[in-house]
Amino acid sequence: MITIVLMAVFTLGVLFFLARAAMADRSAAAEIVLCRAWSYRFARQTLVEQKEEYIDKNNKYHTVKEKKAAKKIKEWDKQIAAYEKNENTYYSGQKFSVLDMITLFGYQLLAAMKLDGNNDLLRKLTSSCEHTGYIELERGQETGEKKNSSIYAFYLLASLFSFLYVGVLLACFLGVLTIAMGNALTGVAMTMAVGFGGCALYGYVPYDNLRAKAKKRQEAIDLGFPNAISEIALLVMAGMSVTKAIEETAASDDSLMYRELRLVLKEMNQGSTVQGALTRLQCRCDNKYLDKMVTIVAKSYTAGNANLASDLKAINDECWLDKKHNTRRMGEVVQNKLFIPTMMMFIGILVVIIVPAMSGFSF
């Protein structure tokens, strides 16, 4: 009976998959090809960053032998070249794999579910795309009439749903196969779980990696911005122009917030306006106090602002107050998490002390 049910689910599922995938139009296929090219580019950029960080750290601290470091760098270079080759292949439109066909089904599935930009899940994922630091996914970047961040968010979600669906089909197929081989019910369940889990993991990892990268960047920005705005406000109050203050501040540290400020200066030196460079900074970095600073500085360039120094100081005070409250809240969260382990240790100590003491009494 179980075999029949699993076979029926698998057959109907495959038919539904083929019917939906066949309904997809060329625009969906083009978006998938573009997103696959982006995914290889992002993987290459991440690996290049890891390699450069590894080289800098090893040159500074010499923690790894030169021959071993050279071997690791060579492996990275080989992988980077492979990513670049795949990226160029997708950009040229010469490749559309079976995995891409699976994602194509996800596009149709999301369309049938009427999932659009108003959906909370898709909107949050789009925001995460915009704040990953990847140039292609910045808020202002568009391909056709769609924002790149929206295109990539839809692709990731379609891929996730597709591989969850394929995981169910694969689990049913493996279930039928293992039952036919005479395996016990436990073995059948384990095989089905492995089949589903493998597909689900393949679809979930890119989705989770992007959200994790955006979250990591936001935490780094939130951590570094209070120090940066303090320096800028102090220099402006001392009579320095805001552009020079940003330049001096950007050169004083090498954390993410300061690197972002250096990128602003680089864009300004390449012909971008102050407002344009700051707006791009605002698009890359998700921080409400940074938004306020950009608004105030941009206003000072267009209409003038005699109170620029005091406005920056007000943002600085508000920012540090919020950071103090966040630190206190984080401390309370950690304290609550430590309560149960502390109580368990206390009970363990009581048992170790009281049990031997009680065993010495005779009743």
Side-chain angles (χ1 to χ4, degrees):
M1 182 64 183
I2 297 176
T3 307
I4 296 172
V5 172
L6 292 176
M7 198 64 199
V9 171
F10 175 75
T11 304
L12 292 174
V14 169
L15 292 174
F16 180 73
F17 176 89
L18 294 174
R20 275 289 169 187
M23 294 169 62
D25 55 15
R26 286 189 175 184
S27 62
E31 287 184 6
I32 290 171
V33 170
L34 182 62
C35 289
R36 283 301 297 272
W38 284 341
S39 67
Y40 281 115
R41 172 171 290 188
F42 300 154
R44 177 169 60 85
Q45 289 175 357
T46 301
L47 208 56
V48 168
E49 290 172 4
Q50 289 178 0
K51 187 184 84 169
E52 290 175 351
E53 184 180 354
Y54 177 81
I55 292 172
D56 290 341
K57 190 178 290 185
N58 196 48
N59 287 340
K60 189 174 182 180
Y61 300 108
H62 302 285
T63 53
V64 182
K65 291 183 178 179
E66 193 172 321
K67 189 176 289 187
K68 187 177 179 181
K71 183 179 179 182
K72 191 176 183 67
I73 291 168
K74 188 177 180 180
E75 290 174 357
W76 271 335
D77 287 336
K78 187 177 180 181
Q79 196 171 353
I80 288 167
Y83 283 143
E84 188 173 9
K85 183 180 178 181
N86 283 319
E87 176 192 339
N88 293 332
T89 303
Y90 270 102
Y91 267 130
S92 63
Q94 297 176 2
K95 189 174 182 180
F96 195 83
S97 65
V98 175
L99 297 177
D100 301 326
M101 182 64 73
I102 292 174
T103 306
L104 195 62
F105 164 77
Y107 269 70
Q108 294 303 112
L109 194 64
L110 295 184
M113 295 167 61
K114 297 183 179 179
L115 205 69
D116 55 20
N118 295 322
N119 180 268
D120 285 340
L121 180 61
L122 190 59
R123 188 168 63 249
K124 289 178 181 178
L125 187 56
T126 301
S127 178
S128 294
C129 289
E130 292 173 350
H131 299 129
T132 52
Y134 297 130
I135 296 173
E136 291 79 7
L137 301 183
E138 285 181 12
R139 192 179 302 168
Q141 299 284 359
E142 294 185 359
T143 298
E145 297 180 354
K146 292 184 180 180
K147 287 185 177 181
N148 289 358
S149 54
S150 300
I151 293 173
Y152 199 68
F154 198 87
Y155 162 78
L156 289 175
L157 210 55
S159 182
L160 175 59
F161 276 61
S162 297
F163 283 99
L164 286 173
Y165 184 88
V166 170
V168 173
L169 297 183
L170 182 61
C172 292
F173 176 76
L174 292 175
V176 172
L177 197 63
T178 49
I179 289 172
M181 292 171 64
N183 289 350
L185 190 60
T186 305
V188 173
M190 286 292 293
T191 304
M192 291 177 69
V194 169
F196 175 78
C199 288
L201 192 63
Y202 185 87
Y204 181 73
V205 166
Y207 170 88
D208 185 63
N209 283 346
L210 183 130
R211 292 176 65 231
K213 182 175 177 61
K215 184 179 178 182
K216 184 179 179 181
R217 268 181 59 87
Q218 182 174 348
E219 289 174 352
I221 292 294
D222 291 343
L223 184 65
F225 183 73
N227 294 321
I229 188 63
S230 292
E231 291 183 46
I232 294 171
L234 183 63
L235 292 171
V236 171
M237 289 174 67
M240 191 177 289
S241 70
V242 68
T243 307
K244 186 65 177 175
I246 292 174
E247 184 178 345
E248 291 291 329
T249 301
S252 65
D253 201 289
D254 197 43
S255 60
L256 179 60
M257 186 67 245
Y258 294 82
R259 294 200 302 270
E260 289 292 336
L261 291 176
R262 288 201 289 271
L263 186 56
V264 169
L265 296 169
K266 181 181 177 181
E267 290 175 359
M268 288 166 57
N269 292 332
Q270 291 175 346
S272 175
T273 62
V274 176
Q275 294 92 328
L278 289 174
T279 300
R280 284 196 61 196
L281 172 68
Q282 193 177 7
C283 292
R284 292 192 302 270
C285 306
D286 184 20
N287 184 283
K288 60 182 180 180
Y289 300 109
L290 176 62
D291 292 344
K292 290 181 180 181
M293 187 197 79
V294 169
T295 303
I296 289 171
V297 173
K299 180 184 174 183
S300 71
Y301 271 90
T302 55
N305 186 0
N307 299 319
L308 177 61
S310 59
D311 288 343
L312 290 174
K313 185 179 182 303
I315 295 173
N316 174 60
D317 294 342
E318 189 180 353
C319 182
W320 277 101
L321 183 63
D322 191 29
K323 184 174 182 178
K324 185 169 70 174
H325 290 327
N326 287 335
T327 304
R328 185 180 299 149
R329 283 193 291 268
M330 288 174 64
E332 291 173 356
V333 170
V334 172
Q335 189 176 6
N336 291 335
K337 287 182 178 179
L338 290 175
F339 177 75
I340 294 177
T342 303
M343 288 301 298
M344 291 177 67
M345 289 175 62
F346 179 69
I347 293 170
I349 292 170
L350 287 178
V351 170
V352 169
I353 295 173
I354 293 174
V355 170
M358 293 294 292
S359 62
F361 291 97
S362 57
F363 296 95

